[in-house]
Amino acid sequence: MVGERSIRGRIPPIVLALLLLPLLGLATSTARAQDAGIVLTLARQTSFATAQDPVVDLAVTATNTGGTALTDLSIGLLLGTEVRTRGDEQLSMDPAVPLTSLDSETRAQEGSLEPGQTRTFATTVDLTAFHVSQTESLIYPLSVDLRSRDSVLAELRTPVLFFFQTPVQPLSFAWTIELAPPITFAPDGSFADDTIEGAIAPGGRIAEQVSSLRTLANAGTAANVVLSPVLVDTLQRMASGYVVGERRVPAGHGGAAAAQQLLASLHVSLHAPAVVVSAYPFAAPQLPSLLRSGLSRDLDLQIDRGRDLVGSALDLTPSSAVARAPEGELDENTMQRLAADGATTLLVDAGTIERPAQPKDFAPPPTASIDLPGGGDPMTLVLPDPGTQAVLASDVALADPVLASQQALGSLAAVWQEQPVPDAPRGVAVSLTEDLGLPAGFWDAFTRRIETAPFLEPVNAEELVSRIPPAVASDLPAASSAVFPSEYVGAIHQERRRIDALRSVLPGDVALADELSQDLLYAEAGVYLSDPDAGRRWIDAVDARTQTVFSRATPASGQAFTLASGSTAIPLLMPGSEGPPLTVQIELQSSQLRFPDGAVQTATIDGEDRSLVFQVQATGAGQVPLVVFVRAPNGRILSESRFVVRSTAFNRIALAITAAAALALVALWLRRLVARRRTA
């Protein structure tokens, strides 16, 4: 098979890489398996080999999804010639691109593969026997295929890293690990399904993320962790017992116990000296959209509440100097706000800014700086390597996470291989963000590769910036133009005012107001920009709970008041109700009543009925309308009730006017009478 597959042309590698990069997302390990009904994945592989230990141990797992038994099985191994550029390394991982063979073997396997059966085939590759270079450290593409009767059923490509000697100067490597799952619970705290239970159970995606952090902490490996308070809040809610569907899980059992264990593991891992923790604003809102929606006041609440929750739950102080905007959404206004909050280094996405092309098509620099309008120190950016991010975002990562972890390592090795002994420090960055959807099987495989890779020196983001001086970058691209509907924003403002009123009504009990204020922040989560109806559930839930409290401060209905002549009193009944005592102000208003001792009284609403007596003077008789306002101490109206007062009192002014009119008529009549007599 030597020479059976040849690498394509001498088109500049980076050009081919850019043209074929989209294929990487489609070139899964099953690329040649669909017709045969075979799914082939990488089960394990030695991440790198050395001259002292040149043997690569690997295993592939094959599943027969067809209806025919496969016999006379064999594993084909073809080691391609070395690849020396990033472009060639990326192309060599595509099964559609032929390889030039350095050496190859076919190894027979016992038994058959029945329909529906899954088997793992293990083998080793002695790189010395496959004639790798004994003078250079290089990357070799390895094709592994499964055959039946010498017919290839499925193939995958994986990079083999060979180090002739220990790298003299490793790459400075900064990586961001983001733990930011979506909101999975309703405003009442219940979970609609068991998705989150599976994610935090042993072997679940979140459990594996947290386990990888524990591995880093134990090894003292540097990393930046971006933690969403949503995860912390979710784990806390679950740890205290929760409801999923119709099922109740008590504290200490099932998912509740798993949540408590994850919180404890995070507490240990995130205290490791080499780990730098940054906290998202509480509900992970898209910051530019939040500001453009007219919710800038709430940004401070989001930031403060996020840090407070993470700090109190995990007993740590998140970094204010290193920040990441949720979903990577940034604009100049957002950067200014983050800078005002203390941020000096931003963890951004690979495409946040355009980076200048490098000589020989080398990897772009991992750092840049942005001058903020208005002066001040520039903001530094840590930018992931686009080639490695393309691997992480491809379908391979979902279908074959172990293979993706090895291919990502190969992509990083290609960056190092560009200048094994550089004349200036070099670095690279990677961002493992939530939107990649990296599965559970990826985390341990990739973490252990990074931890042991001899060509990488893990550092935190600020250290990378200090080692790789950032070049001044152009302006940021425009952020998403999404905003919340105006009525949605108005409802948030309305509920914020109601919560302020609640705080003044319950001066000795701030827990409820704090809880509702936090729940209202969830309505500003970035996920609800595209689904405001789902976000309205949080707003409506806050409204319902405040209304439950405010409805306690309502006068008893059906009260009747009758006023006799002169001054009298109105006894206004305020019924008692269960709950913490409410401090309110009762105000009476009527255009036909006067209140000699004042129309406003302060009252406490508790479990006892109370009768508030108001001194009243009527200015007339008949049916007199009376409006009763119940206000919070901060002046906000909590309720408005209308009553009718029946007054039998005479109006003295009207009586005087009537008497004067009568006297005038009598005087006029007497005058006319005298005039007639004189005439007679």
Side-chain angles (χ1 to χ4, degrees):
M1 291 181 63
V2 176
E4 180 178 320
R5 309 174 194 178
S6 60
I7 195 75
R8 288 186 178 171
R10 289 293 91 198
I11 298 175
I14 192 62
V15 174
L16 273 176
L18 292 173
L19 291 174
L20 294 175
L21 192 57
L23 295 177
L24 291 176
L26 301 175
T28 68
S29 58
T30 61
R32 297 178 57 182
Q34 298 304 318
D35 294 339
I38 294 294
V39 176
L40 190 67
T41 58
L42 185 65
R44 68 174 184 271
Q45 178 185 340
T46 305
S47 56
F48 65 91
T50 64
Q52 295 73 34
D53 185 7
V55 177
V56 174
D57 172 59
L58 63 85
V60 294
T61 297
T63 299
N64 185 353
T65 61
T68 304
L70 302 174
T71 59
D72 192 14
L73 301 175
S74 60
I75 293 293
L77 301 172
L78 185 150
L79 191 68
T81 56
E82 73 277 4
V83 289
R84 295 179 177 272
T85 68
R86 290 183 302 123
D88 280 345
E89 192 278 331
Q90 291 168 348
L91 288 173
S92 70
M93 291 299 102
D94 183 357
V97 178
L99 295 175
T100 297
S101 174
L102 187 63
D103 206 341
S104 63
E105 286 187 15
T106 301
R107 299 177 180 178
Q109 305 295 314
E110 295 182 356
S112 62
L113 190 60
E114 301 297 322
Q117 183 183 11
T118 297
R119 286 187 60 186
T120 297
F121 302 94
T123 190
T124 59
V125 178
D126 186 337
L127 297 181
T128 303
F130 273 68
H131 308 103
V132 299
S133 172
Q134 296 300 306
T135 59
E136 291 184 275
S137 298
L138 295 167
I139 303 170
Y140 299 87
L142 175 65
S143 168
V144 184
D145 60 50
L146 177 67
R147 307 179 184 192
S148 175
R149 304 179 186 275
D150 291 330
S151 176
V152 176
L153 305 177
E155 176 195 7
L156 60 79
R157 298 278 182 90
T158 182
V160 172
L161 280 55
F162 176 74
F163 292 94
F164 171 70
Q165 61 184 8
T166 302
V168 176
Q169 188 169 337
L171 283 172
S172 296
F173 174 73
W175 55 332
T176 299
I177 301 174
E178 181 186 60
L179 279 72
I183 302 168
T184 53
F185 50 87
D188 64 359
S190 65
F191 296 85
D193 54 45
D194 61 358
T195 301
I196 189 65
E197 288 181 310
I200 70 170
R205 186 176 66 88
I206 295 176
E208 288 300 301
Q209 286 179 306
V210 175
S211 177
S212 69
L213 292 179
R214 194 66 175 266
T215 299
L216 297 178
N218 292 338
T221 304
N224 281 86
V225 176
V226 177
L227 185 61
S228 172
V230 172
L231 173 61
V232 177
D233 193 23
T234 301
L235 295 177
Q236 286 183 323
R237 289 170 183 257
M238 297 183 72
S240 60
Y242 61 96
V243 173
V244 53
E246 300 297 324
R247 175 167 51 89
R248 179 173 294 277
V249 180
H253 294 78
Q260 188 62 53
Q261 291 170 359
L262 286 188
L263 283 171
S265 182
L266 282 172
H267 186 278
V268 173
S269 301
L270 299 183
H271 278 78
V275 175
V276 177
V277 180
S278 302
Y280 271 155
F282 176 74
Q286 285 190 16
L287 304 187
S289 298
L290 194 71
L291 297 178
R292 286 197 300 269
S293 296
L295 293 166
S296 58
R297 172 176 176 260
D298 282 14
L299 177 55
D300 293 333
L301 297 176
Q302 290 273 4
I303 292 173
D304 292 343
R305 182 59 190 139
R307 287 180 180 166
D308 289 345
L309 179 63
V310 171
S312 61
L314 303 175
D315 191 28
L316 57 82
T317 302
S319 172
S320 58
V322 180
R324 173 171 169 80
E327 301 182 43
E329 289 287 346
L330 283 172
D331 59 14
E332 289 184 356
N333 192 23
T334 301
M335 292 180 65
Q336 287 179 311
R337 291 294 295 267
L338 293 175
D341 195 58
T344 57
T345 299
L346 293 183
L347 308 172
V348 300
D349 295 335
T352 296
I353 62 169
E354 292 187 12
R355 286 174 273 184
Q358 301 298 299
K360 301 180 182 179
D361 291 325
F362 281 179
T367 62
S369 68
I370 294 285
D371 290 325
L372 297 178
D377 295 332
M379 184 77 76
T380 57
L381 310 179
V382 173
L383 296 138
D385 175 59
T388 307
Q389 294 299 127
V391 174
L392 298 176
S394 71
D395 291 344
V396 176
L398 298 177
D400 196 342
V402 176
L403 177 60
S405 68
Q406 183 67 19
Q407 288 186 353
L409 187 70
S411 178
L412 294 170
V415 177
W416 170 80
Q417 189 175 251
E418 291 173 340
Q419 288 183 288
V421 186
D423 51 10
R426 300 186 74 229
V428 69
V430 166
S431 186
L432 308 179
T433 52
E434 184 70 24
D435 64 297
L436 294 173
L438 297 169
F442 172 85
W443 292 92
D444 181 69
F446 188 68
T447 298
R448 294 190 181 279
R449 281 169 167 76
I450 296 301
E451 179 192 343
T452 58
F455 64 94
L456 296 177
E457 181 186 359
V459 297
N460 63 52
E462 290 181 293
E463 179 65 20
L464 180 71
V465 170
S466 68
R467 293 185 180 188
I468 315 297
V472 177
S474 59
D475 294 338
L476 286 173
S480 168
S481 60
V483 293
F484 287 113
S486 58
E487 63 272 18
Y488 189 94
V489 174
I492 290 177
H493 287 318
Q494 169 75 2
E495 294 309 316
R496 187 69 63 196
R497 290 190 290 269
R498 289 172 67 89
I499 292 172
D500 290 341
L502 186 67
R503 290 187 188 280
S504 67
V505 167
L506 295 169
D509 184 5
V510 299
L512 178 59
D514 287 344
E515 178 185 346
L516 296 182
S517 179
Q518 176 172 295
D519 284 354
L520 191 58
L521 292 177
Y522 273 123
E524 299 168 353
V527 66
Y528 298 135
L529 281 166
S530 59
D531 189 7
D533 288 342
R536 274 306 292 240
R537 293 181 302 170
W538 292 95
I539 301 173
D540 294 343
V542 171
D543 184 79
R545 294 187 66 183
T546 55
Q547 186 56 38
T548 298
V549 175
F550 295 160
S551 64
R552 294 174 53 204
T554 303
S557 61
Q559 298 185 66
F561 308 105
T562 301
L563 300 180
S565 60
S567 297
T568 186
I570 288 180
L572 183 68
L573 177 62
M574 299 295 295
S577 59
E578 294 183 359
L582 308 180
T583 301
V584 297
Q585 292 178 342
I586 314 297
E587 179 183 354
L588 276 57
Q589 288 187 8
S590 175
S591 62
Q592 300 179 40
L593 298 175
R594 286 187 288 208
F595 307 94
D597 296 336
V600 179
Q601 292 188 31
T602 299
T604 299
I605 309 299
D606 53 22
E608 301 292 333
D609 291 350
R610 295 183 183 277
S611 183
L612 304 179
V613 179
F614 288 84
Q615 295 300 319
V616 179
Q617 289 181 345
T619 60
Q623 303 290 329
V624 177
L626 175 67
V627 182
V628 178
F629 293 102
V630 180
R631 301 179 185 271
N634 71 347
R636 183 170 183 79
I637 296 175
L638 306 182
S639 69
E640 177 181 336
S641 304
R642 295 182 180 275
F643 300 93
V644 174
V645 179
R646 182 171 178 271
S647 173
T648 61
F650 292 106
N651 188 317
R652 294 180 179 178
I653 296 176
L655 185 61
I657 293 174
T658 302
L663 290 173
L665 289 173
V666 170
L668 181 60
W669 177 77
L670 290 173
R671 181 179 178 183
R672 288 179 177 176
L673 181 61
V674 171
R676 287 174 184 168
R677 288 180 177 179
R678 287 179 178 174
T679 301

